[in-house]
Amino acid sequence: MKIVIDTNVFVSSVFGGLPRQVVQLWFDGRIMLCLSEPIVTEYQRVLREIDAVSEAEERALIEAFASGEGALYTSDPPPIEGVSPDPEDDKFLECALELGAGYIASGDSDLLELESYMGIPILTPRELLEQIGEAPGE
C-alpha cells in the first residue's frame, strides 16, 4: 500500500501518538512511503526548524529515504496548481498522483477539506489507521 504522509503528520510522529503509528507502518515495512524532492526538503526544513531530531537522527532518516527501502521517489512530479487552498500543499497531491498512492495522511485542514484528490482519499492519521485495518491507539 502506497501512502503520502504530509509534513504535519511526519514531523508530529517525532512526538508520538497516531502520527507515530502511521510512520511506524513505514519503518515496519507495512506501507510504501511516497516521496518527492519537495516533500523530503520540507520534512528536513521543518525538523531542523523545530529542533525535533539530532543531526545523527536526521542523517539516519535521510539514509532511509535514499535507500529506497520501503519508499518510492519521484524527483519532479508534473505540477498541479490551485487544487488546495494552500498552494504549498499541492506537492503532496502531485506526489500521490505521480506515484499512484492509495492514500494521503494529513493533519492539514486545507488538505483534509478536499477529502480526496483524483480518487485518492485524504485522511487524518486516525481515519487512515481505521481504513487500513490498524487499531488506532493513543
Side-chain angles (χ1 to χ4, degrees):
M1 175 177 329
K2 298 185 275 187
I3 299 177
V4 172
I5 299 176
D6 84 357
T7 306
N8 176 299
V9 173
F10 195 85
V11 171
S12 294
S13 74
V14 171
F15 305 107
L18 297 174
R20 177 168 288 163
Q21 284 182 255
V22 171
V23 172
Q24 191 64 45
L25 293 171
W26 170 53
F27 283 121
D28 293 345
R30 297 172 61 203
I31 65 168
M32 292 292 285
L33 181 61
C34 296
L35 299 167
S36 67
E37 187 172 324
I39 292 172
V40 171
T41 299
E42 185 169 280
Y43 285 175
Q44 288 179 277
R45 180 184 57 76
V46 174
L47 286 168
R48 279 188 206 124
E49 281 178 6
I50 65 170
D51 203 22
V53 293
S54 69
E55 285 185 34
E57 289 169 321
E58 183 181 347
R59 268 194 311 278
L61 189 57
I62 299 311
E63 287 172 14
F65 293 151
S67 77
E69 206 169 304
L72 295 173
Y73 187 83
T74 179
S75 60
D76 192 23
I80 60 170
E81 293 180 8
V83 176
S84 174
D86 180 357
E88 289 296 311
D89 294 335
D90 287 342
K91 67 179 144 288
F92 302 106
L93 305 173
E94 293 165 353
C95 180
L97 194 58
E98 176 73 3
L99 296 176
Y103 300 97
I104 298 171
S106 180
D108 182 289
S109 60
D110 289 328
L111 280 173
L112 291 168
E113 182 180 291
L114 296 174
E115 296 181 1
S116 71
Y117 177 67
M118 302 292 286
I120 303 166
I122 303 169
L123 305 172
T124 66
R126 176 178 299 282
E127 292 168 336
L128 175 69
L129 291 165
E130 290 170 350
Q131 182 72 33
I132 64 174
E134 295 291 323
E138 296 297 328

